[in-house]
Amino acid sequence: MKNRLVILALLVSVFGYSQETYNKTLKLMGSRFDFSVVASSQKQGDSFINSAITEISRIENLISSWDPNSQTSLINRNAGIKPVKVDKALFNLIERALKISKLTKGAFDISYASMDKIWKFDGTMTDIPSKEAIKNSVKKVGYQNIILDEQNQTVYLKLEGMKIGFGAIGKGYAADKAKALLMKKGVSAGIINASGDLNTWGKQPNGKDWMVAIVNPLNKNKVFSWLPVYNSAVVTSGNYEKYVKFNDVLYTHIIDPRTGYPATGILSVTIFTKTAELADALATSIFVMGKDTGLDFINQLNGVECIIIDNDNVIITSNNIELNTLKND
Ligand code: ADP
Ligand code: MG
């Protein structure tokens, strides 16, 4: 009896439900999301993707600093006033963000958000902010002033006017959570790609690893390398998507929280590691640290690799990445 069942199972797996990759693209968290899941029918694929979309919308409602009803906005509104009780998931996310701030000596800082008042990347800026304004803007920045109370599960921003935002970590976090949910549902393989912050699991239906394209930051239509990824995340941060230009100088959307000035010297950073959340945060951090310090830092971390492309279009890779077939044309 048992043998027969095994044979039946084998037959089903060979001839029965053949697995295919199903895709969907849509806008979530203000960004493009591409979902790919391996499933046995369009209907099943759609249903998997829909549950991932629901999960990401839930996260957006929690962490968006644009949505006045989110817990994050509640924290911001109560800056300098009182601690705010939040969901465990948000509390833990902030706790992890603070760890990365410590690790990067403040290059990464979710309280960068109060600087949004002077650096705007929506076309409304007409000139570079004054030195005075920049100096003032960093006064409210500082992860040391984000106070977590584990017991009461509260978050308190010590200074009035302080603000937190998850622009540099939220999409990675969402990709990880969507992946975790789908894995729990038994989805054997997939990719969640949040505008270049992606996480993968399993293999393609043909048994091969998923392939991820690394693009040339100077020409986004040109892929300069394809890399296989297995059960891990790849995140790219570039200076070419959100920036302002004055007198031919490009000011990017990643800002050094310690000076208030946009990071310079790097065109793009790609990070490879287990989770998209960590990769997302580290990609932003490396921008701020600069290529030398950034590379040194990555080489000291276990299980994290990077590709940096600097302003002169030179490709720099961490110790354990070999891109010998690469040509940056
Ligand atoms: P993208 O994926 O859009 O390139 P990143 O992951 O590089 O974005 O994050 C950039 C965003 O993070 C900015 O638009 C801003 O919201 C926020 N940010 C900017 N500078 C910092 C910083 N030093 N630390 C944390 N967040 C930052
Ligand atoms: Mg990031």
Side-chain angles (χ1 to χ4, degrees):
M1 178 64 188
K2 210 170 160 199
N3 275 345
R4 262 192 228 154
L5 273 180
V6 170
I7 289 166
L8 187 68
L10 274 175
L11 285 174
V12 165
S13 69
V14 175
F15 300 107
Y17 309 99
S18 74
Q19 300 271 299
E20 269 182 58
T21 308
Y22 295 91
N23 304 298
K24 185 165 186 166
T25 297
L26 73 158
K27 206 166 173 183
L28 291 163
M29 304 178 90
S31 309
R32 177 191 163 123
F33 270 72
D34 299 280
F35 297 89
S36 304
V37 295
V38 171
S40 48
S41 66
Q42 181 78 51
K43 194 165 163 237
Q44 193 188 40
D46 284 348
S47 140
F48 287 151
I49 291 173
N50 284 338
S51 53
I53 293 170
T54 306
E55 174 69 351
I56 290 167
S57 304
R58 184 188 68 79
I59 290 165
E60 187 175 5
N61 290 339
L62 196 64
I63 70 173
S64 163
S65 36
W66 304 113
D67 176 356
N69 298 316
S70 73
Q71 291 191 356
T72 302
S73 293
L74 196 62
I75 296 172
N76 289 340
R77 270 202 302 280
N78 283 289
I81 302 172
K82 63 170 196 288
V84 171
K85 183 156 175 116
V86 297
D87 285 8
K88 190 77 184 139
L90 182 58
F91 186 91
N92 291 345
L93 175 66
I94 295 173
E95 195 170 41
R96 292 194 299 275
L98 292 184
K99 273 194 190 141
I100 297 170
S101 293
K102 283 185 198 125
L103 203 63
T104 61
K105 302 197 170 69
F108 177 86
D109 193 330
I110 53 172
S111 74
Y112 83 90
S114 65
M115 298 187 296
D116 271 9
K117 290 193 194 86
I118 60 162
W119 294 103
K120 296 195 179 87
F121 302 93
D122 55 5
T124 56
M125 276 180 90
T126 52
D127 205 350
I128 178 166
S130 69
K131 280 202 176 102
E132 198 56 29
I134 291 174
K135 218 172 115 200
N136 278 334
S137 76
V138 290
K139 282 189 185 151
K140 309 284 178 172
V141 178
Y143 66 92
Q144 300 89 343
N145 290 322
I146 304 173
I147 313 299
L148 297 183
D149 178 338
E150 180 105 53
Q151 213 130 64
N152 296 312
Q153 216 169 287
T154 59
V155 184
Y156 177 47
L157 308 182
K158 252 189 167 154
L159 310 178
E160 196 197 324
M162 237 181 122
K163 255 168 70 182
I164 56 171
F166 298 99
I169 192 172
K171 279 185 287 160
Y173 170 65
D176 289 348
K177 293 293 283 183
K179 166 180 165 176
L181 178 90
L182 292 181
M183 286 182 83
K184 212 172 110 199
K185 282 184 172 286
V187 181
S188 64
I191 307 179
I192 314 287
N193 184 353
S195 300
D197 297 7
L198 66 85
N199 203 339
T200 70
W201 73 103
K203 288 176 183 261
Q204 298 185 58
N206 64 9
K208 296 200 170 131
D209 283 340
W210 297 109
M211 298 296 286
V212 172
I214 310 292
V215 297
N216 180 340
L218 292 179
N219 182 348
K220 288 202 75 186
N221 299 322
K222 275 199 178 151
V223 171
F224 72 74
S225 177
W226 285 91
L227 294 173
V229 281
Y230 178 67
N231 212 9
S232 65
V234 183
V235 169
T236 299
S237 262
N239 75 350
Y240 42 82
E241 261 159 3
K242 257 201 225 159
Y243 59 85
V244 285
K245 230 175 182 177
F246 299 115
N247 299 325
D248 265 351
V249 180
L250 186 150
Y251 298 92
T252 186
H253 67 306
I254 296 175
I255 296 168
D256 188 335
R258 300 157 300 192
T259 64
Y261 281 88
T264 54
I266 292 178
L267 288 180
S268 86
V269 178
T270 302
I271 301 275
F272 303 82
T273 192
K274 267 272 161 291
T275 69
E277 175 189 315
L278 180 64
D280 195 0
L282 291 180
T284 307
S285 309
I286 301 309
F287 252 95
V288 175
M289 292 171 144
K291 59 180 175 181
D292 297 329
T293 314
L295 186 67
D296 236 34
F297 173 70
I298 295 296
N299 279 330
Q300 288 172 43
L301 297 177
N302 251 337
V304 185
E305 300 298 332
C306 73
I307 304 174
I308 301 171
I309 302 180
D310 75 7
N311 271 356
D312 300 320
N313 213 18
V314 173
I315 302 173
I316 304 146
T317 59
S318 58
N319 287 344
N320 299 315
I321 282 198
E322 273 184 35
L323 294 175
N324 39 20
T325 56
L326 259 179
K327 229 176 69 234
N328 192 18
D329 56 354

